[in-house]
Amino acid sequence: MSDDSRPSRTEPRTALRTAAVIPAAGRGVRLGPGAPKALRALNGTPMLIHAVRALAASRAVSLVVVVAPPDGAPEVKSLLDAHALPERTDFLVVPGGDSRQDSVRLGLDALPPDYDIVLVHDAARPLVPVDTVDAVIQAVRDGAPAVVPALPLADTVKEVEPATTPGDPEPVLATPERARLRAVQTPQGFDRTTLVRAHETVTDNVTDDASMVEQLGERVVVVPGHEEAFKVTRPLDLVLAEAVLARRRLNDGF
């Protein structure tokens, strides 16, 4: 990003514009055969649409970039056009790459220069509450270069020596202190310059963008996540997501 597109030193950080990137190019094999995971129906609506609406529900988010399967951008564009989305939010669909990192980078490349905060959100987390989205954005506005929502772990965790043959017993190496561990969710929020630098610098295959920023030596902070921001990866998760939506309909009276 050029110096001309950066906010002035006198501009309040609350005025910084926020965009969201949703990589949705994965196949989601753990959900079984069929459509890509992001396009699986949840209460009759594709998960991707639920995820887009969840991010657009934040008044701070003025642009959502959906990164589609490499050959599926027209289909995803038609999908967005066919569903009601907030009029105050702009939407853009771009083709993705072979990996999640490639797709996020392509989404970043598509952002106009006047966005300074970037959220990266899993399409497979369709039910993240808007309060969580806003909390992540606020933490970036408060000066954190990278922010992740996360939950304390309910289970004890063991570090093991992975078995060479699936199903074989695995020796336990250590039991990390559970109070120091968190289960990370999305959206993850970033100062745009920091995230772009991470994608230009880190070439390791990573599972989230915050770990790329960690490798730069930059500070990453955690804000409280939400139990409804779980990732839908297995058929059982779809059942749970349907139950959450049913409870929301009951509570909201529609």
Side-chain angles (χ1 to χ4, degrees):
M1 182 166 51
S2 68
D3 291 340
D4 292 341
S5 63
R6 297 293 303 277
S8 68
R9 293 183 181 274
T10 59
E11 181 181 6
R13 290 190 64 85
T14 54
L16 302 185
R17 302 188 73 195
T18 300
V21 174
I22 302 181
R27 298 298 305 179
V29 294
R30 281 177 287 180
L31 277 176
K37 177 166 56 178
L39 303 184
R40 298 292 181 91
L42 180 58
N43 192 35
T45 301
M47 279 200 294
L48 175 61
I49 298 300
H50 287 286
V52 168
R53 287 173 174 166
L55 273 293
S58 171
R59 293 189 174 276
V61 176
S62 54
L63 172 66
V64 176
V65 177
V66 178
V67 187
D71 58 352
E75 178 186 2
V76 171
K77 177 65 166 59
S78 297
L79 194 68
L80 294 184
D81 291 341
H83 290 82
L85 300 171
E87 293 184 359
R88 67 173 182 273
T89 308
D90 293 327
F91 300 93
L92 180 64
V93 178
V94 298
D98 294 331
S99 69
R100 185 183 185 280
Q101 277 177 264
D102 290 338
S103 293
V104 173
R105 185 171 61 251
L106 289 167
L108 283 172
D109 290 344
L111 292 180
D114 56 340
Y115 285 90
D116 303 285
I117 296 175
V118 181
L119 305 180
V120 181
H121 184 58
D122 296 330
R125 297 184 189 271
L127 303 179
V128 59
V130 67
D131 288 350
T132 302
V133 179
D134 287 340
V136 171
I137 295 170
Q138 188 58 53
V140 180
R141 286 175 170 173
D142 288 343
V147 181
V148 296
L151 292 175
L153 297 183
D155 298 320
T156 296
V157 176
K158 301 289 185 182
E159 180 185 355
V160 303
E161 181 65 40
T164 55
T165 302
D168 281 357
E170 299 176 322
V172 172
L173 302 179
T175 303
E177 184 181 348
R178 188 172 64 183
R180 297 175 61 89
L181 301 177
R182 297 291 183 269
V184 172
Q185 302 176 327
T186 68
Q188 299 183 355
F190 303 90
D191 168 78
R192 178 180 180 168
T193 303
T194 301
L195 183 58
V196 168
R197 183 161 60 91
H199 276 270
E200 292 174 345
T201 305
V202 178
T203 58
D204 296 344
N205 186 21
V206 297
T207 56
D208 75 341
D209 297 270
S211 61
M212 300 174 71
V213 174
E214 290 174 46
Q215 292 188 47
L216 297 181
E218 296 284 355
R219 184 170 62 105
V220 179
V221 303
V222 169
V223 298
H226 196 282
E227 61 182 5
E228 293 182 0
F230 60 90
K231 192 172 186 179
V232 177
T233 58
R234 303 162 299 173
L236 183 60
D237 298 326
L238 283 171
V239 176
L240 179 57
E242 293 276 6
V244 171
L245 284 175
R247 185 181 65 183
R248 288 182 179 181
R249 288 195 303 271
L250 182 63
N251 292 341
D252 293 341
F254 65 89

